[in-house]
């Protein structure tokens, strides 16, 4: 008999304490579905933005967290294989992608699950409606049909796998959409959060000749240097966007960067990114600049023949490649340096606040740590 209820930290009001409460789980599991016990949830900047109300259109109440790893405790019919064809059983340790419908134009005509019209992000699921709990700040979570899962190798830590579920696969897809990294090229990474740090390491591993990381605070830039940045620009010190562009120009011998990736989402990031590009360079837009975004100089895009490419999250293929990237370069990059010590659900709100204040690079919640908290 699988669990029919779960403890969860529920966001009922923006910028307010999370409520530790109990939510129902489906008693009958549809074909293709599963229930997992969450073993690790790594927090994303989006979780902090959602908590603070930066996306007020998101329906409340919700269970935050969309980077998580879990152990299977129940399976619906036809759920016995993962996306790579490996057996899935009770006790399997898995990571999974967002659910997709499989029948819209994005899924079928374009064959791009990322562009599914009905993609099931955790923060689109209300906690007061079926199936209630698909987010990571929960002791158990429901995996809907269409949420492709991958069985994890024993040597992959839960935190690595959880972060692969959003941050790392987003980076992997961004580089793929850009056409990869040409050996010896110059790559500029905008942002020194988890995505920017992983992107820095990826550029170095892929053979970039010069890697420049822009972001802050200083502690994150120090980690960027460990992950392969040849040079860093602290945006908390160099506050003038034009000065940042000028510094990149100087570092590149007035040529500019061959590839610039925006993982910052700041209002001036895309304008800066285009201006940092070399002739025939590529600027990849991943961060959401918001309504106050500075205009992108289209005359520069035209005059330098710059390619501007959008890249949205990642699908289960990107997830599989993200896991391979993390394990392939485990001896070269200290991935654990990104993760804070795990806290239980009772500490989830502070973990979100630490994410928002940048006190943590990647905060970690393990719901099993505070099982003694009364239900």
């Amino acid at each position: 008999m699988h669990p029919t209820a779960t403890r969860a930290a529920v966001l009922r009001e923006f910028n307010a304490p999370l409520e530790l409460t109990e939510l129902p789980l489906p008693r009958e599991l549809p074909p293709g579905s599963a229930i997992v016990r969450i073993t690790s949830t790594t927090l994303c900047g989006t979780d902090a933005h959602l908590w603070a109300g930066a996306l007020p259109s998101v329906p409340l109440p919700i269970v935050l967290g969309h980077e998580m790893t879990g152990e299977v405790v129940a399976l619906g019919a036809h759920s016995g294989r993962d996306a790579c064809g490996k057996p899935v059983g009770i006790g399997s340790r898995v990571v999974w992608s967002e659910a997709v419908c499989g029948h819209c134009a994005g899924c079928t005509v374009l064959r791009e699950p990322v562009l599914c019209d009905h993609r099931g992000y955790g923060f689109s699921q209300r906690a007061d409606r079926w199936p209630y709990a698909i987010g990571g700040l929960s002791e158990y979570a429901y995996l809907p049909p269409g949420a492709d899962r991958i069985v994890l190798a024993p040597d992959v830590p839960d935190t690595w796998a959880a972060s692969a579920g959003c941050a790392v696969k987003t980076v992997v897809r961004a580089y793929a959409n850009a056409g990869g990294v040409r050996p010896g090229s110059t790559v500029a990474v905008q942002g020194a959060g988890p995505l920017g740090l992983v992107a820095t390491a990826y550029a170095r591993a892929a053979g970039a000749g010069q890697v420049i990381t822009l972001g802050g605070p200083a502690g994150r830039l120090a980690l960027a240097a460990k992950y392969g940045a040849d040079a860093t620009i602290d945006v908390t010190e160099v506050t003038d966007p034009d000065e940042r562009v000028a510094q990149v120009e100087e570092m590149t011998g007035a040529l500019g960067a061959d590839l610039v990736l925006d993982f910052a989402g700041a209002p001036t990031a895309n304008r800066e990114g285009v201006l940092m590009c070399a002739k025939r360079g590529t600027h990849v837009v991943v961060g959401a600049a918001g309504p106050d975004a500075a205009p992108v100089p289209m005359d520069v895009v035209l005059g330098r023949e710059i390619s501007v490419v959008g890249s949205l999250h990642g699908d289960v293929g990107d997830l599989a490649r993200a896991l391979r990237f993390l394990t392939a370069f485990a001896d070269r990059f200290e991935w654990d340096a990104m993760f804070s010590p795990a806290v239980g659900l009772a500490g989830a709100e502070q973990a979100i606040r630490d994410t928002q204040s940048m006190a943590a690079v990647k905060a970690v919640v393990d719901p099993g740590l505070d099982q003694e908290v009364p239900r």
Side-chain angles (χ1 to χ4, degrees), residues 14-374:
F14 294 122
N15 205 28
L18 302 178
E19 178 185 339
L20 285 176
T21 187
E22 191 172 87
L23 298 175
L25 291 169
R27 292 180 178 273
E28 301 294 330
L29 295 181
S33 67
I35 291 177
V36 299
R37 179 180 64 84
I38 300 293
T39 53
S40 184
T41 294
T42 53
L43 293 177
C44 174
T46 302
D47 293 312
H49 297 328
L50 288 165
W51 174 81
L55 301 172
S57 61
V58 170
L60 298 182
I62 56 172
V63 177
L64 293 171
H66 55 279
E67 295 181 353
M68 55 271 198
T69 305
E71 182 181 283
V72 175
V73 299
L75 287 168
H78 312 301
S79 303
R81 296 282 175 180
D82 75 355
C84 301
K86 294 181 180 178
V88 177
I90 304 302
S92 294
R93 201 165 57 100
V94 295
V95 65
W96 55 96
S97 66
E98 296 78 21
V100 295
C101 72
H103 55 72
C104 69
C107 289
T108 59
V109 177
L110 298 176
R111 297 186 182 273
E112 288 287 0
V114 162
L115 301 178
C116 174
D117 291 338
H118 309 287
R119 199 157 190 220
Y121 291 99
F123 48 78
S124 65
Q125 170 62 52
R126 292 182 62 109
D128 57 356
R129 298 178 185 172
W130 192 94
Y132 304 101
I134 66 173
L137 297 185
S138 182
E139 186 178 356
Y140 295 92
Y142 173 69
L143 273 59
D148 288 319
R149 57 223 63 162
I150 295 176
V151 174
L152 296 170
D155 60 345
V156 178
D158 284 347
T159 49
W160 297 15
S163 66
C166 178
V168 186
K169 74 177 181 183
T170 299
V171 170
V172 168
R173 185 176 184 86
Y175 276 105
N177 284 349
V181 176
R182 294 197 305 274
S185 62
T186 296
V187 177
V189 176
Q190 296 173 292
L195 278 79
L197 292 171
V198 172
T200 298
Y202 193 105
R204 176 56 65 213
Q210 182 181 27
V211 182
I212 304 167
T213 303
L214 303 93
R220 294 188 176 191
L221 293 177
L223 188 53
K226 291 182 179 179
Y227 282 2
D230 298 293
T232 60
I233 297 175
D234 191 333
V235 300
T236 67
E237 295 181 357
V238 185
T239 57
D240 182 354
D242 291 332
E243 175 59 25
R244 296 194 287 263
V245 172
Q247 289 195 13
V248 170
E249 184 177 4
E250 181 179 359
M251 292 174 183
T252 59
L255 293 175
D258 301 294
L259 176 58
V260 182
L261 303 103
D262 165 30
F263 295 107
T268 63
N270 300 138
R271 176 182 177 274
E272 291 177 60
V274 165
L275 291 174
M276 289 174 187
C277 275
K279 292 178 179 178
R280 307 221 73 185
T282 299
H283 177 51
V284 184
V285 181
V286 181
D292 299 324
V296 172
M298 299 307 294
D299 58 326
V300 176
V301 173
L302 171 64
R304 299 183 193 173
E305 290 196 340
I306 292 169
S307 297
V308 178
V309 179
S311 190
L312 179 65
H313 210 239
D315 60 23
V316 69
D318 301 305
L319 174 56
R321 287 181 281 273
L323 291 169
R324 289 204 298 268
F325 171 67
L326 291 172
T327 54
F329 293 95
D331 294 335
R332 187 167 177 183
F333 303 113
E334 188 184 352
W335 302 129
D336 286 336
M338 287 193 294
F339 301 104
S340 299
V343 298
L345 287 179
E349 181 192 332
Q350 185 59 51
I352 291 174
R353 291 180 182 273
D354 289 344
T355 300
Q356 184 184 45
S357 68
M358 299 187 184
V361 175
K362 205 71 171 160
V364 180
V365 177
D366 176 357
L369 289 180
D370 56 1
Q371 289 180 347
E372 71 278 2
V373 176

